[in-house]
Amino acid sequence: MTESTHDEPHGGALGSRLNWLRAAVLGANDGIVSTAGLVVGVAGATSDRGSLLTAGLAGLLAGSMSMAAGEYVSVSTQLDSEKAALATERRELREEPEAELEELTELLEGRGLSRAVAFEAAQQLTERDALRAHASVELGIDPDDLTNPWHAAWASFLSFTVGALLPLLAIVLPPSDWRVPVTVVSVLAALVLTGWSGARLGAAGPGRAVLRNVGGGALAMGVTYAAGALLGAAGV
């Protein structure tokens, strides 16, 4: 029991870190693809640097704010659920301590312990910290490490912004004739990196993830560039 209790927080902490890293990679990927599609589409219609910069900055700000707001709302809902579940456990522990002890025993039995060992472990965990025991075993929650919507919002905002900066700079810094080729090459290289990183963090093979990432980004840029070129040719 001592070794298992010692290892569990480390595994949970590692899983939490990996989740944040995956979220950061996905946020950066979204920033790259959406901003690249936007600026390449505008570049299909005009070569004016000011128009490209305005469109890119607008896309960056709108996308990063949208990502942050969406993540904040989503994680706030999760936090509310966690707090409600903990409040229910507190009430049940106060009103039905024997039933809660039996419930914890059965949960530990379900993890492979014998009835006698599970009952003894449940007693010891309850005496030490009943709420923490039920939160961990029954709910999979650490009462001292609840999800933080502000952390999630800032992480999404920053990762999207970092990703969006690449196509924005690539489209406005080079000379006019080189803007689209430089942007396309830079974006596809970045998508290879984010696809590979996301796959490795998820313990999956990187080949298909990279192909999906690059294919999706290339399609987005091709479609928006064609649309921009048609609109530009039509004088819209």
Side-chain angles (χ1 to χ4, degrees), residues 113-212:
L113 299 180
S114 67
R115 171 70 186 184
V117 173
F119 181 70
E120 181 182 354
Q123 283 184 313
Q124 292 183 12
L125 289 172
T126 299
E127 290 172 0
R128 182 178 303 171
D129 191 331
L131 178 62
R132 181 180 297 278
H134 280 267
S136 176
V137 177
E138 182 179 349
L139 304 175
I141 296 174
D142 183 351
D144 295 329
D145 189 25
L146 299 180
T147 54
N148 189 314
W150 286 108
H151 289 172
W154 276 111
S156 295
F157 179 88
L158 291 174
S159 62
F160 186 97
T161 299
V162 170
L165 282 173
L166 173 67
L168 176 58
L169 295 175
I171 203 73
V172 299
L173 293 181
S176 178
D177 293 341
W178 286 90
R179 286 173 186 164
V180 172
V182 168
T183 301
V184 170
V185 171
S186 300
V187 166
L188 293 183
L191 291 177
V192 169
L193 178 61
T194 57
W196 181 86
S197 300
R200 297 305 297 170
L201 288 170
R208 290 185 179 180
V210 169
L211 287 176
R212 287 194 298 265

Coordinates of all heavy atoms in Angstrom, one line a residue, residues 113-212:
L113 N -7.9 -5.9 -4.5 CA -7.6 -6.3 -3.1 C -8.6 -7.3 -2.5 O -9.7 -7.3 -2.9 CB -7.5 -5.0 -2.2 CG -6.6 -3.9 -2.6 CD1 -6.7 -2.8 -1.6 CD2 -5.1 -4.5 -2.6
S114 N -8.1 -8.1 -1.6 CA -9.0 -9.0 -0.9 C -9.9 -8.2 0.0 O -9.6 -7.0 0.3 CB -8.2 -10.0 -0.1 OG -7.6 -9.4 1.0
R115 N -11.0 -8.8 0.4 CA -12.0 -8.1 1.3 C -11.3 -7.6 2.6 O -11.5 -6.4 2.9 CB -13.2 -9.0 1.6 CG -14.1 -8.5 2.7 CD -14.9 -7.3 2.1 NE -15.8 -6.7 3.2 CZ -16.6 -5.8 3.0 NH1 -16.8 -5.3 1.7 NH2 -17.4 -5.3 3.9
A116 N -10.5 -8.4 3.2 CA -9.9 -8.0 4.5 C -8.9 -6.9 4.3 O -8.9 -5.9 5.0 CB -9.2 -9.2 5.1
V117 N -8.1 -7.0 3.2 CA -7.1 -6.0 3.0 C -7.8 -4.7 2.6 O -7.4 -3.6 3.0 CB -6.1 -6.4 1.9 CG1 -5.1 -5.3 1.5 CG2 -5.3 -7.6 2.4
A118 N -8.8 -4.8 1.7 CA -9.5 -3.6 1.3 C -10.2 -2.9 2.5 O -10.2 -1.6 2.5 CB -10.6 -4.0 0.2
F119 N -10.8 -3.6 3.4 CA -11.4 -3.0 4.5 C -10.4 -2.3 5.4 O -10.6 -1.2 5.9 CB -12.2 -4.1 5.3 CG -12.9 -3.5 6.5 CD1 -14.0 -2.7 6.4 CD2 -12.5 -3.8 7.8 CE1 -14.7 -2.2 7.5 CE2 -13.1 -3.3 8.9 CZ -14.2 -2.5 8.8
E120 N -9.3 -3.0 5.6 CA -8.2 -2.4 6.5 C -7.7 -1.1 5.8 O -7.5 -0.1 6.5 CB -7.1 -3.4 6.7 CG -6.0 -2.8 7.6 CD -4.8 -3.8 7.8 OE1 -4.9 -4.9 7.3 OE2 -3.8 -3.4 8.4
A121 N -7.5 -1.2 4.5 CA -7.0 0.0 3.8 C -8.0 1.2 3.8 O -7.6 2.3 4.0 CB -6.6 -0.3 2.3
A122 N -9.2 0.8 3.7 CA -10.3 1.8 3.7 C -10.4 2.5 5.1 O -10.5 3.7 5.1 CB -11.6 1.2 3.3
Q123 N -10.2 1.7 6.1 CA -10.2 2.3 7.5 C -9.1 3.3 7.7 O -9.2 4.4 8.2 CB -10.1 1.2 8.5 CG -11.5 0.4 8.7 CD -11.3 -0.6 9.9 OE1 -10.4 -1.4 9.9 NE2 -12.3 -0.6 10.8
Q124 N -7.9 2.8 7.2 CA -6.7 3.7 7.4 C -6.8 5.0 6.6 O -6.5 6.1 7.1 CB -5.4 2.9 7.0 CG -5.1 1.8 8.0 CD -3.8 1.1 7.6 OE1 -3.0 1.5 6.8 NE2 -3.5 -0.1 8.2
L125 N -7.3 4.8 5.3 CA -7.4 6.0 4.5 C -8.5 7.0 5.1 O -8.3 8.2 5.0 CB -7.8 5.6 3.1 CG -6.7 4.9 2.3 CD1 -7.3 4.4 1.0 CD2 -5.6 5.9 2.0
T126 N -9.6 6.4 5.6 CA -10.6 7.2 6.2 C -10.1 8.0 7.4 O -10.4 9.1 7.6 CB -11.8 6.4 6.5 OG1 -12.3 5.8 5.3 CG2 -12.9 7.2 7.2
E127 N -9.4 7.3 8.3 CA -8.8 7.9 9.5 C -7.8 9.0 9.1 O -7.8 10.1 9.8 CB -8.1 6.9 10.3 CG -9.1 5.9 11.0 CD -8.3 4.8 11.7 OE1 -7.1 4.8 11.7 OE2 -9.0 3.9 12.3
R128 N -7.1 8.8 8.0 CA -6.1 9.8 7.6 C -6.8 11.1 7.0 O -6.5 12.2 7.4 CB -5.1 9.2 6.7 CG -4.0 10.1 6.2 CD -3.0 9.4 5.3 NE -2.5 8.2 5.9 CZ -1.7 7.3 5.3 NH1 -1.5 7.5 4.0 NH2 -1.3 6.3 5.9
D129 N -7.6 10.8 6.0 CA -8.3 11.9 5.3 C -9.4 11.3 4.5 O -9.2 10.9 3.4 CB -7.4 12.7 4.5 CG -8.0 14.0 4.0 OD1 -9.2 14.1 3.8 OD2 -7.3 15.0 3.7
A130 N -10.6 11.3 5.1 CA -11.7 10.6 4.4 C -12.1 11.2 3.1 O -12.3 10.5 2.1 CB -12.9 10.5 5.3
L131 N -12.2 12.5 3.1 CA -12.6 13.2 1.8 C -11.6 13.0 0.7 O -11.9 12.7 -0.4 CB -12.7 14.7 2.1 CG -13.1 15.5 0.8 CD1 -14.4 15.1 0.3 CD2 -13.1 17.0 1.2
R132 N -10.3 13.1 1.0 CA -9.3 12.9 0.0 C -9.3 11.4 -0.5 O -9.1 11.2 -1.7 CB -7.9 13.2 0.6 CG -6.7 13.0 -0.4 CD -5.4 13.3 0.3 NE -5.4 14.7 0.7 CZ -5.1 15.7 -0.2 NH1 -4.8 15.4 -1.4 NH2 -5.0 17.0 0.3
A133 N -9.5 10.5 0.4 CA -9.6 9.1 0.0 C -10.7 8.9 -1.0 O -10.5 8.2 -2.1 CB -9.8 8.2 1.2
H134 N -11.9 9.4 -0.7 CA -13.0 9.2 -1.6 C -12.9 10.0 -2.9 O -13.2 9.5 -4.0 CB -14.3 9.6 -0.9 CG -14.9 8.5 0.0 ND1 -15.8 7.6 -0.4 CD2 -14.6 8.3 1.3 CE1 -16.0 6.8 0.7 NE2 -15.3 7.2 1.7
A135 N -12.3 11.2 -2.8 CA -12.1 12.0 -4.0 C -11.1 11.3 -4.9 O -11.4 11.3 -6.1 CB -11.6 13.4 -3.6
S136 N -10.1 10.7 -4.4 CA -9.1 10.1 -5.2 C -9.6 8.7 -5.8 O -9.6 8.5 -7.0 CB -7.8 9.8 -4.4 OG -6.9 9.1 -5.2
V137 N -10.1 7.9 -4.9 CA -10.5 6.5 -5.3 C -11.8 6.5 -6.1 O -12.0 5.9 -7.1 CB -10.6 5.6 -4.1 CG1 -11.0 4.2 -4.5 CG2 -9.3 5.5 -3.4
E138 N -12.8 7.3 -5.6 CA -14.1 7.2 -6.2 C -14.3 8.2 -7.4 O -14.9 7.9 -8.4 CB -15.2 7.6 -5.1 CG -16.6 7.5 -5.6 CD -17.6 7.8 -4.5 OE1 -17.2 7.8 -3.3 OE2 -18.8 8.0 -4.8
L139 N -13.7 9.4 -7.2 CA -14.0 10.5 -8.2 C -12.8 10.8 -9.1 O -12.9 11.4 -10.1 CB -14.4 11.8 -7.5 CG -15.6 11.7 -6.5 CD1 -15.7 13.0 -5.8 CD2 -16.8 11.3 -7.3
G140 N -11.6 10.3 -8.7 CA -10.4 10.6 -9.5 C -10.0 12.1 -9.4 O -9.5 12.7 -10.4
I141 N -10.3 12.7 -8.3 CA -10.0 14.2 -8.1 C -9.1 14.4 -6.9 O -9.2 13.7 -5.9 CB -11.4 14.9 -7.8 CG1 -12.3 14.8 -8.9 CG2 -11.1 16.4 -7.4 CD1 -13.7 15.4 -8.6
D142 N -8.1 15.3 -7.1 CA -7.3 15.7 -6.0 C -7.9 17.1 -5.5 O -7.9 18.1 -6.2 CB -5.9 16.0 -6.5 CG -4.9 16.4 -5.4 OD1 -5.4 16.6 -4.2 OD2 -3.7 16.4 -5.6
P143 N -8.4 17.1 -4.2 CA -9.0 18.3 -3.7 C -8.1 19.5 -3.7 O -8.6 20.6 -3.6 CB -9.5 17.9 -2.3 CG -9.5 16.4 -2.3 CD -8.5 15.9 -3.3
D144 N -6.8 19.3 -3.6 CA -5.8 20.3 -3.5 C -5.3 20.8 -4.9 O -4.5 21.7 -5.1 CB -4.6 20.0 -2.7 CG -5.0 19.8 -1.2 OD1 -6.0 20.4 -0.8 OD2 -4.4 18.9 -0.6
D145 N -5.8 20.1 -6.0 CA -5.3 20.4 -7.3 C -6.5 20.4 -8.3 O -6.5 19.6 -9.3 CB -4.2 19.4 -7.7 CG -3.5 19.8 -9.0 OD1 -3.5 21.0 -9.3 OD2 -3.0 18.9 -9.7
L146 N -7.5 21.2 -8.0 CA -8.6 21.2 -8.9 C -8.3 22.0 -10.2 O -7.3 22.8 -10.2 CB -9.8 22.0 -8.2 CG -10.3 21.3 -7.0 CD1 -11.5 22.1 -6.4 CD2 -10.8 19.9 -7.2
T147 N -9.0 21.7 -11.3 CA -8.7 22.4 -12.5 C -8.9 23.9 -12.4 O -9.7 24.4 -11.7 CB -9.7 21.9 -13.6 OG1 -11.0 22.1 -13.2 CG2 -9.4 20.5 -14.0
N148 N -8.0 24.7 -13.1 CA -8.0 26.1 -13.0 C -8.4 26.7 -14.3 O -7.6 26.6 -15.3 CB -6.6 26.6 -12.5 CG -6.6 28.1 -12.2 OD1 -7.1 28.9 -13.0 ND2 -6.0 28.4 -11.1
P149 N -9.6 27.3 -14.5 CA -10.0 27.9 -15.8 C -9.1 29.0 -16.3 O -8.9 29.2 -17.5 CB -11.4 28.4 -15.5 CG -11.5 28.5 -14.0 CD -10.6 27.5 -13.4
W150 N -8.5 29.8 -15.3 CA -7.6 30.9 -15.8 C -6.3 30.4 -16.4 O -5.8 30.9 -17.4 CB -7.3 31.8 -14.6 CG -8.5 32.7 -14.2 CD1 -9.3 32.6 -13.1 CD2 -9.0 33.8 -15.0 NE1 -10.3 33.6 -13.2 CE2 -10.1 34.3 -14.3 CE3 -8.7 34.4 -16.3 CZ2 -10.9 35.4 -14.8 CZ3 -9.4 35.4 -16.8 CH2 -10.5 35.9 -16.0
H151 N -5.8 29.3 -15.7 CA -4.6 28.7 -16.3 C -4.9 28.2 -17.7 O -4.1 28.3 -18.7 CB -4.1 27.5 -15.4 CG -3.5 28.0 -14.1 ND1 -3.2 27.1 -13.1 CD2 -3.2 29.2 -13.7 CE1 -2.7 27.8 -12.1 NE2 -2.7 29.1 -12.4
A152 N -6.0 27.5 -17.9 CA -6.4 26.9 -19.2 C -6.6 28.0 -20.2 O -6.1 27.9 -21.4 CB -7.7 26.1 -19.1
A153 N -7.2 29.1 -19.8 CA -7.5 30.2 -20.7 C -6.2 30.9 -21.2 O -6.0 31.1 -22.4 CB -8.4 31.3 -20.1
W154 N -5.3 31.1 -20.3 CA -4.0 31.7 -20.6 C -3.2 30.8 -21.5 O -2.5 31.3 -22.4 CB -3.2 32.2 -19.4 CG -3.7 33.5 -18.8 CD1 -4.3 33.7 -17.7 CD2 -3.4 34.8 -19.4 NE1 -4.5 35.1 -17.5 CE2 -4.0 35.7 -18.6 CE3 -2.8 35.2 -20.6 CZ2 -4.0 37.1 -18.9 CZ3 -2.8 36.5 -20.9 CH2 -3.4 37.5 -20.0
A155 N -3.2 29.5 -21.2 CA -2.4 28.6 -22.0 C -2.9 28.5 -23.4 O -2.1 28.5 -24.3 CB -2.5 27.2 -21.3
S156 N -4.2 28.5 -23.6 CA -4.8 28.5 -24.9 C -4.5 29.8 -25.7 O -4.1 29.8 -26.8 CB -6.3 28.3 -24.9 OG -6.6 27.0 -24.4
F157 N -4.6 30.9 -24.9 CA -4.3 32.2 -25.6 C -2.9 32.3 -26.0 O -2.6 32.7 -27.2 CB -4.6 33.3 -24.5 CG -4.3 34.7 -25.0 CD1 -5.3 35.5 -25.7 CD2 -3.1 35.3 -24.8 CE1 -5.0 36.7 -26.2 CE2 -2.8 36.6 -25.3 CZ -3.8 37.3 -26.0
L158 N -2.0 31.9 -25.2 CA -0.5 32.0 -25.5 C -0.1 31.1 -26.6 O 0.6 31.4 -27.6 CB 0.3 31.8 -24.3 CG 0.2 32.9 -23.2 CD1 1.0 32.5 -22.0 CD2 0.8 34.2 -23.7
S159 N -0.6 29.8 -26.5 CA -0.2 28.8 -27.6 C -0.8 29.2 -28.9 O -0.1 29.1 -29.9 CB -0.7 27.4 -27.1 OG -2.1 27.4 -27.1
F160 N -2.0 29.7 -29.0 CA -2.6 30.1 -30.3 C -1.8 31.3 -30.8 O -1.5 31.4 -32.0 CB -4.1 30.5 -30.1 CG -4.8 30.8 -31.4 CD1 -5.5 29.8 -32.0 CD2 -4.7 32.1 -31.9 CE1 -6.2 30.1 -33.2 CE2 -5.3 32.4 -33.1 CZ -6.1 31.4 -33.8
T161 N -1.5 32.3 -29.9 CA -0.8 33.5 -30.4 C 0.6 33.1 -30.9 O 1.0 33.6 -32.0 CB -0.6 34.4 -29.2 OG1 -1.9 34.8 -28.7 CG2 0.2 35.7 -29.6
V162 N 1.3 32.2 -30.2 CA 2.6 31.8 -30.7 C 2.5 31.1 -32.1 O 3.3 31.4 -33.0 CB 3.3 30.9 -29.7 CG1 4.6 30.2 -30.3 CG2 3.7 31.6 -28.4
G163 N 1.5 30.2 -32.2 CA 1.3 29.6 -33.5 C 1.0 30.6 -34.6 O 1.5 30.5 -35.7
A164 N 0.1 31.5 -34.3 CA -0.4 32.5 -35.3 C 0.7 33.4 -35.8 O 0.7 34.0 -36.9 CB -1.6 33.3 -34.8
L165 N 1.7 33.7 -34.9 CA 2.8 34.7 -35.3 C 3.6 34.2 -36.4 O 4.1 35.0 -37.2 CB 3.7 34.9 -34.1 CG 3.1 35.9 -33.0 CD1 4.1 35.9 -31.8 CD2 3.0 37.3 -33.5
L166 N 3.7 32.9 -36.6 CA 4.6 32.3 -37.7 C 4.0 32.7 -39.1 O 4.8 33.4 -39.8 CB 4.7 30.8 -37.6 CG 5.4 30.1 -38.7 CD1 6.9 30.6 -38.8 CD2 5.3 28.6 -38.6
P167 N 2.8 32.4 -39.4 CA 2.3 32.8 -40.7 C 2.2 34.3 -40.9 O 2.3 34.8 -42.0 CB 1.0 32.1 -40.8 CG 0.6 31.8 -39.4 CD 1.8 31.5 -38.7
L168 N 1.9 35.0 -39.8 CA 1.7 36.4 -39.9 C 3.1 37.1 -40.3 O 3.1 37.9 -41.2 CB 1.3 37.0 -38.5 CG 1.2 38.5 -38.4 CD1 0.2 39.1 -39.5 CD2 0.7 38.9 -37.0
L169 N 4.1 36.7 -39.6 CA 5.5 37.2 -39.9 C 5.9 36.8 -41.3 O 6.6 37.5 -42.0 CB 6.5 36.8 -38.8 CG 6.2 37.4 -37.4 CD1 7.3 36.8 -36.5 CD2 6.3 38.9 -37.5
A170 N 5.6 35.5 -41.6 CA 6.1 35.0 -42.9 C 5.4 35.7 -44.1 O 6.0 35.8 -45.2 CB 5.8 33.5 -43.0
I171 N 4.2 36.2 -43.9 CA 3.5 36.8 -45.0 C 3.8 38.3 -45.2 O 3.6 38.9 -46.2 CB 2.0 36.7 -44.9 CG1 1.2 36.8 -46.2 CG2 1.4 37.7 -43.9 CD1 1.5 35.6 -47.1
V172 N 4.3 39.0 -44.1 CA 4.5 40.4 -44.2 C 6.0 40.8 -44.3 O 6.3 41.9 -44.8 CB 3.9 41.2 -43.0 CG1 2.4 41.0 -42.9 CG2 4.6 40.8 -41.7
L173 N 6.9 39.9 -43.9 CA 8.3 40.3 -43.9 C 9.0 40.1 -45.3 O 9.8 41.0 -45.7 CB 9.1 39.5 -42.8 CG 8.7 39.8 -41.4 CD1 9.6 39.0 -40.4 CD2 8.9 41.3 -41.1
P174 N 8.8 39.0 -46.0 CA 9.5 38.9 -47.3 C 9.0 39.8 -48.3 O 8.0 40.5 -48.2 CB 9.1 37.4 -47.7 CG 8.6 36.8 -46.5 CD 7.9 37.9 -45.7
P175 N 9.8 40.0 -49.4 CA 9.3 40.8 -50.6 C 8.0 40.2 -51.2 O 7.7 39.0 -50.9 CB 10.5 40.6 -51.6 CG 11.7 40.2 -50.8 CD 11.1 39.4 -49.6
S176 N 7.3 41.0 -51.9 CA 6.0 40.6 -52.4 C 6.0 39.3 -53.1 O 5.1 38.5 -52.9 CB 5.5 41.7 -53.3 OG 4.2 41.4 -53.9
D177 N 6.9 39.1 -54.0 CA 6.9 37.8 -54.8 C 7.2 36.6 -54.0 O 6.9 35.4 -54.4 CB 7.9 37.9 -55.9 CG 7.6 38.9 -57.0 OD1 6.4 39.3 -57.0 OD2 8.5 39.4 -57.7
W178 N 7.8 36.7 -52.8 CA 8.2 35.6 -52.0 C 7.2 35.3 -50.9 O 7.4 34.3 -50.1 CB 9.6 35.8 -51.4 CG 10.7 35.7 -52.5 CD1 11.2 36.6 -53.3 CD2 11.3 34.5 -52.8 NE1 12.2 36.1 -54.1 CE2 12.3 34.8 -53.8 CE3 11.2 33.1 -52.4 CZ2 13.1 33.8 -54.4 CZ3 12.1 32.2 -52.9 CH2 13.0 32.5 -54.0
R179 N 6.2 36.2 -50.7 CA 5.4 36.1 -49.5 C 4.7 34.7 -49.4 O 4.7 34.0 -48.3 CB 4.4 37.2 -49.4 CG 5.1 38.5 -49.1 CD 4.1 39.7 -49.2 NE 4.8 41.0 -49.0 CZ 4.2 42.1 -49.3 NH1 3.0 42.2 -49.9 NH2 4.9 43.2 -49.1
V180 N 4.0 34.4 -50.4 CA 3.1 33.2 -50.3 C 4.0 31.9 -50.3 O 3.8 31.0 -49.4 CB 2.2 33.1 -51.5 CG1 1.5 31.7 -51.6 CG2 1.1 34.2 -51.4
P181 N 5.1 31.8 -51.1 CA 5.9 30.6 -51.0 C 6.6 30.5 -49.7 O 6.7 29.4 -49.1 CB 7.0 30.8 -52.1 CG 6.3 31.7 -53.1 CD 5.5 32.6 -52.3
V182 N 7.1 31.6 -49.1 CA 7.7 31.5 -47.8 C 6.7 31.1 -46.7 O 7.0 30.3 -45.8 CB 8.4 32.9 -47.4 CG1 8.8 32.9 -46.0 CG2 9.6 33.1 -48.3
T183 N 5.5 31.7 -46.8 CA 4.5 31.3 -45.8 C 4.1 29.9 -45.9 O 4.0 29.2 -44.9 CB 3.3 32.2 -46.0 OG1 3.6 33.6 -45.9 CG2 2.2 31.9 -45.0
V184 N 3.9 29.4 -47.1 CA 3.5 28.0 -47.3 C 4.6 27.0 -46.8 O 4.3 26.1 -46.0 CB 3.2 27.7 -48.8 CG1 3.1 26.2 -49.0 CG2 2.0 28.4 -49.2
V185 N 5.8 27.3 -47.1 CA 6.9 26.4 -46.7 C 7.1 26.5 -45.1 O 7.2 25.4 -44.5 CB 8.3 26.8 -47.3 CG1 9.4 26.0 -46.7 CG2 8.2 26.5 -48.8
S186 N 7.0 27.7 -44.6 CA 7.2 27.8 -43.1 C 6.0 27.1 -42.4 O 6.2 26.4 -41.4 CB 7.2 29.3 -42.8 OG 8.2 30.0 -43.4
V187 N 4.8 27.3 -42.9 CA 3.6 26.7 -42.2 C 3.7 25.2 -42.3 O 3.5 24.5 -41.3 CB 2.3 27.3 -42.8 CG1 1.1 26.4 -42.4 CG2 2.1 28.7 -42.4
L188 N 4.0 24.7 -43.5 CA 4.1 23.2 -43.6 C 5.2 22.6 -42.7 O 5.0 21.5 -42.1 CB 4.3 22.8 -45.0 CG 3.2 23.1 -46.0 CD1 3.5 22.6 -47.4 CD2 1.8 22.5 -45.5
A189 N 6.3 23.3 -42.6 CA 7.4 22.8 -41.7 C 6.9 22.8 -40.2 O 7.2 21.9 -39.5 CB 8.6 23.7 -41.9
A190 N 6.2 23.9 -39.9 CA 5.7 24.0 -38.5 C 4.6 22.9 -38.2 O 4.6 22.4 -37.1 CB 5.1 25.4 -38.2
L191 N 3.8 22.6 -39.2 CA 2.8 21.6 -39.0 C 3.4 20.2 -38.9 O 2.9 19.3 -38.2 CB 1.8 21.6 -40.2 CG 0.9 22.9 -40.3 CD1 0.0 22.8 -41.5 CD2 0.1 23.0 -39.0
V192 N 4.5 20.0 -39.6 CA 5.3 18.7 -39.4 C 5.7 18.6 -37.9 O 5.5 17.6 -37.3 CB 6.5 18.7 -40.3 CG1 7.4 17.5 -39.9 CG2 6.1 18.5 -41.7
L193 N 6.2 19.7 -37.4 CA 6.7 19.7 -36.0 C 5.5 19.5 -35.0 O 5.6 18.7 -34.1 CB 7.4 21.0 -35.7 CG 7.9 21.2 -34.2 CD1 8.9 20.1 -33.9 CD2 8.5 22.6 -34.1
T194 N 4.4 20.2 -35.2 CA 3.3 20.1 -34.2 C 2.6 18.7 -34.4 O 2.2 18.2 -33.4 CB 2.3 21.2 -34.4 OG1 1.8 21.2 -35.8 CG2 2.8 22.6 -34.1
G195 N 2.5 18.2 -35.6 CA 2.0 16.9 -35.8 C 2.8 15.8 -35.1 O 2.3 14.9 -34.4
W196 N 4.1 15.9 -35.3 CA 5.0 15.0 -34.6 C 5.0 15.1 -33.1 O 4.9 14.1 -32.4 CB 6.5 15.2 -35.1 CG 7.5 14.3 -34.5 CD1 7.8 13.1 -35.0 CD2 8.3 14.5 -33.4 NE1 8.8 12.5 -34.2 CE2 9.1 13.3 -33.2 CE3 8.3 15.5 -32.4 CZ2 9.9 13.2 -32.1 CZ3 9.2 15.4 -31.4 CH2 10.0 14.2 -31.2
S197 N 5.0 16.3 -32.6 CA 4.9 16.5 -31.1 C 3.6 16.0 -30.5 O 3.7 15.4 -29.5 CB 5.1 18.0 -30.8 OG 6.3 18.6 -31.3
G198 N 2.5 16.3 -31.2 CA 1.2 15.8 -30.7 C 1.2 14.3 -30.6 O 0.7 13.7 -29.7
A199 N 1.7 13.7 -31.7 CA 1.7 12.2 -31.7 C 2.6 11.6 -30.7 O 2.2 10.7 -30.0 CB 2.1 11.7 -33.1
R200 N 3.7 12.2 -30.5 CA 4.7 11.6 -29.5 C 4.1 11.8 -28.1 O 4.2 10.9 -27.2 CB 6.0 12.3 -29.6 CG 6.7 12.1 -30.9 CD 6.9 10.6 -31.2 NE 7.7 10.0 -30.2 CZ 7.9 8.6 -30.1 NH1 7.2 7.8 -31.0 NH2 8.7 8.1 -29.2
L201 N 3.5 13.0 -27.8 CA 2.9 13.2 -26.5 C 1.7 12.2 -26.2 O 1.5 11.8 -25.1 CB 2.4 14.6 -26.3 CG 3.5 15.7 -26.2 CD1 2.9 17.1 -26.4 CD2 4.2 15.6 -24.9
G202 N 1.1 11.8 -27.3 CA 0.0 10.8 -27.1 C 0.4 9.4 -27.3 O -0.4 8.5 -27.3
A203 N 1.7 9.2 -27.3 CA 2.3 7.8 -27.5 C 1.8 7.1 -28.7 O 1.6 5.9 -28.7 CB 2.0 7.0 -26.2
A204 N 1.6 7.9 -29.8 CA 1.2 7.3 -31.1 C 2.2 7.5 -32.1 O 3.2 8.3 -32.0 CB -0.1 8.0 -31.5
G205 N 2.1 6.7 -33.2 CA 3.0 6.8 -34.3 C 2.9 8.2 -35.0 O 1.8 8.7 -35.2
P206 N 4.0 8.9 -35.3 CA 3.9 10.2 -35.8 C 3.6 10.3 -37.3 O 3.2 11.4 -37.8 CB 5.3 10.8 -35.6 CG 6.2 9.6 -35.6 CD 5.4 8.5 -35.0
G207 N 3.8 9.2 -38.1 CA 3.6 9.3 -39.5 C 2.3 9.8 -39.9 O 2.1 10.8 -40.7
R208 N 1.2 9.1 -39.5 CA -0.2 9.5 -39.9 C -0.5 10.9 -39.4 O -1.2 11.7 -40.1 CB -1.2 8.5 -39.5 CG -1.0 7.1 -40.2 CD -2.1 6.2 -39.8 NE -2.1 4.9 -40.5 CZ -2.9 3.9 -40.3 NH1 -3.9 4.0 -39.4 NH2 -2.8 2.8 -41.0
A209 N -0.1 11.2 -38.2 CA -0.4 12.5 -37.6 C 0.2 13.6 -38.4 O -0.5 14.6 -38.6 CB 0.0 12.5 -36.1
V210 N 1.4 13.4 -38.8 CA 2.1 14.4 -39.6 C 1.4 14.6 -40.9 O 1.2 15.7 -41.4 CB 3.6 14.1 -39.7 CG1 4.2 15.0 -40.8 CG2 4.3 14.2 -38.4
L211 N 1.1 13.5 -41.6 CA 0.4 13.6 -42.9 C -1.0 14.3 -42.7 O -1.3 15.1 -43.6 CB 0.2 12.2 -43.4 CG 1.5 11.5 -44.0 CD1 1.2 10.1 -44.4 CD2 2.1 12.3 -45.1
R212 N -1.7 13.9 -41.7 CA -3.0 14.6 -41.5 C -2.8 16.1 -41.3 O -3.6 16.9 -41.8 CB -3.8 14.0 -40.3 CG -4.3 12.6 -40.6 CD -5.3 12.2 -39.5 NE -4.7 12.2 -38.2 CZ -4.2 11.1 -37.6 NH1 -4.3 9.9 -38.3 NH2 -3.6 11.1 -36.4

